[in-house]
Amino acid sequence: MITAYCSNCTSVEIRDLSHAASFPEDVVWIDMIEPTRDEELYVEKVLGIEVPTRDDLKDIEPSARLYVENDAVFMTASLLWKADTDAPTLTDVAFILAGNRLVTIRYAHPKSFALFIAALHRLPENWRSGAALLAKLLETIVDRTAEILEISVSRIDILSMHVFGDRAKKVRKPSNYLEEKLRDIAGYHRTISKVRDSLGSLSRLLTFFHTIPAMQQDREAKELCRTVSRDIQSLSEHAAFVAGNITFLLDASLGLINIEQNSIIKIFSIASVVFLPPTLVASIYGMNFQVMPELAWAAGYPYSLALMVISAVIPFFFFRWKGWL
């Protein structure tokens, strides 16, 4: 699907690719969403550029993601997608500056694009060129990334309280409580790692974008790019700090699981030691020898029972005195 946005912020969806020889003069942004091969050929014919395919966007080499060809600037960044789900992922988006027009090619629907389109009508008229739109779009993408990071931090804090905060209340928890929290920690670790990868990709794109002539000639857009670059650096440092907290939370959860397992083993060990003396007494008086003095003793049975109880109670109170129970 091809959607063209004009300088007056109106949009039109290009459906008929056979008659139109070019886009209207006031079109400043061409948004290609999951384009077909016919749509790619149409844009290539109208703009005189070679549109990168889906496989081209997956190339990770810098020379294939950031380059200038036939006076058109080609940039590719990895953006976070499905951040609100349990399986966040990265999607590659191409940004092309062809003359005074911005062309975006994407095979997903990052929320940042929807936010930018919704706020497009609020942009001043001097911000409605291709380079200026790209600067504003990158700002929206970074703001959305910051929002994702902030939401993740808030949820990680709640998770940390669930792991540590309620332990003082001695509330009985399910046996697999911490194991479930480990899955949550793994999910947040995946999100933060994707955020860091996306920020690194955006940082490289902005460094390249800042050097092109169209950006050097637009002072306001150039200053905005500098601000966005500083925001990316700050967010990258914060994401690294959050990743460290997640690692600590993971190690702490594993440590708590080990402590609980050791407590269970300790209980079984003490129980076996406590019941060992009574077992010894019962084994002695369970022997089938013909000559045993206590066999004819009327008080022999209660005596053996009392001896077994005493031999069990003494180790129990000894362990309590030592603080092992």
Side-chain angles (χ1 to χ4, degrees):
M1 182 177 68
I2 301 177
T3 305
Y5 295 87
C6 303
S7 58
N8 59 359
C9 298
T10 59
S11 62
V12 57
E13 185 176 332
I14 308 298
R15 295 182 179 273
D16 189 358
L17 306 180
S18 58
H19 300 292
S22 64
F23 292 103
E25 291 294 334
D26 58 345
V27 168
V28 292
W29 179 23
I30 302 167
D31 189 20
M32 303 175 65
I33 305 174
E34 299 183 6
T36 63
R37 184 53 186 163
D38 291 337
E39 291 173 339
E40 292 175 350
L41 293 174
Y42 171 77
V43 173
E44 289 179 354
K45 177 182 178 181
V46 173
L47 298 182
I49 61 175
E50 185 177 350
V51 175
T53 63
R54 188 169 192 171
D55 292 334
D56 295 335
L57 297 183
K58 296 179 180 180
D59 201 333
I60 62 175
E61 294 184 2
S63 59
R65 297 175 73 92
L66 306 169
Y67 61 95
V68 178
E69 185 177 85
N70 297 330
D71 297 328
V73 181
F74 295 80
M75 296 168 285
T76 304
S78 299
L79 308 184
L80 192 61
W81 184 41
K82 295 182 179 180
D84 299 328
T85 66
D86 295 332
T89 185
L90 293 177
T91 179
D92 295 316
V93 179
F95 304 90
I96 306 173
L97 285 177
N100 196 40
R101 288 171 174 167
L102 169 65
V103 181
T104 56
I105 305 173
R106 53 194 175 103
Y107 294 87
H109 300 270
K111 190 176 180 179
S112 53
F113 275 79
L115 295 174
F116 180 71
I117 293 172
L120 195 59
H121 66 279
R122 294 197 294 267
L123 291 179
E125 292 185 1
N126 60 327
W127 282 93
R128 294 176 186 175
S129 64
L133 279 178
L134 178 54
K136 281 292 186 180
L137 177 56
L138 292 174
E139 181 187 32
T140 305
I141 292 172
V142 173
D143 289 343
R144 170 58 181 165
T145 305
E147 180 185 4
I148 294 171
L149 187 59
E150 182 179 355
I151 293 174
S152 298
V153 169
S154 177
R155 292 176 178 175
I156 291 170
D157 288 339
I158 296 174
L159 178 61
S160 178
M161 292 178 60
H162 288 167
V163 172
F164 297 108
D166 295 337
R167 299 184 67 83
K169 298 181 181 180
K170 304 299 182 181
V171 179
R172 185 177 179 85
K173 298 182 177 65
S175 58
N176 60 341
Y177 179 80
L178 288 175
E179 286 81 354
E180 292 178 354
K181 298 306 175 186
L182 286 178
R183 297 188 184 95
D184 295 337
I185 294 172
Y188 292 128
H189 180 271
R190 176 181 175 85
T191 299
I192 298 302
S193 65
K194 297 298 182 183
V195 167
R196 297 180 70 180
D197 291 341
S198 178
L199 289 173
S201 175
L202 289 170
S203 178
R204 291 189 295 271
L205 185 148
L206 274 167
T207 301
F208 179 80
F209 181 42
H210 195 268
T211 62
I212 66 174
M215 179 56 58
Q216 295 295 329
Q217 296 170 4
D218 194 329
R219 185 178 60 85
E220 293 182 352
K222 182 179 179 180
E223 184 61 30
L224 177 60
C225 281
R226 289 178 179 174
T227 303
V228 174
S229 296
R230 289 193 293 266
D231 291 343
I232 290 177
Q233 182 179 1
S234 177
L235 289 174
S236 298
E237 294 174 355
H238 187 50
F241 171 75
V242 175
N245 288 343
I246 292 177
T247 301
F248 165 76
L249 190 58
L250 175 62
D251 293 339
S253 299
L254 292 174
L256 291 175
I257 291 175
N258 289 332
I259 290 174
E260 289 187 356
Q261 291 176 344
N262 291 337
S263 298
I264 296 173
I265 297 300
K266 184 179 71 172
I267 292 174
F268 279 106
S269 300
I270 292 176
S272 63
V273 173
V274 167
F275 288 102
L276 183 59
T279 304
L280 177 62
V281 174
S283 300
I284 293 174
Y285 288 104
M287 297 179 184
N288 294 322
F289 292 111
Q290 184 175 3
V291 179
M292 292 186 69
E294 291 85 354
L295 290 178
W297 186 20
Y301 180 69
Y303 168 78
S304 61
L305 291 180
L307 186 58
M308 284 190 286
V309 171
I310 293 173
S311 63
V313 169
I314 291 176
F316 175 79
F317 282 104
F318 177 77
F319 293 148
R320 290 289 299 271
W321 175 65
K322 285 289 189 179
W324 297 342
L325 285 175

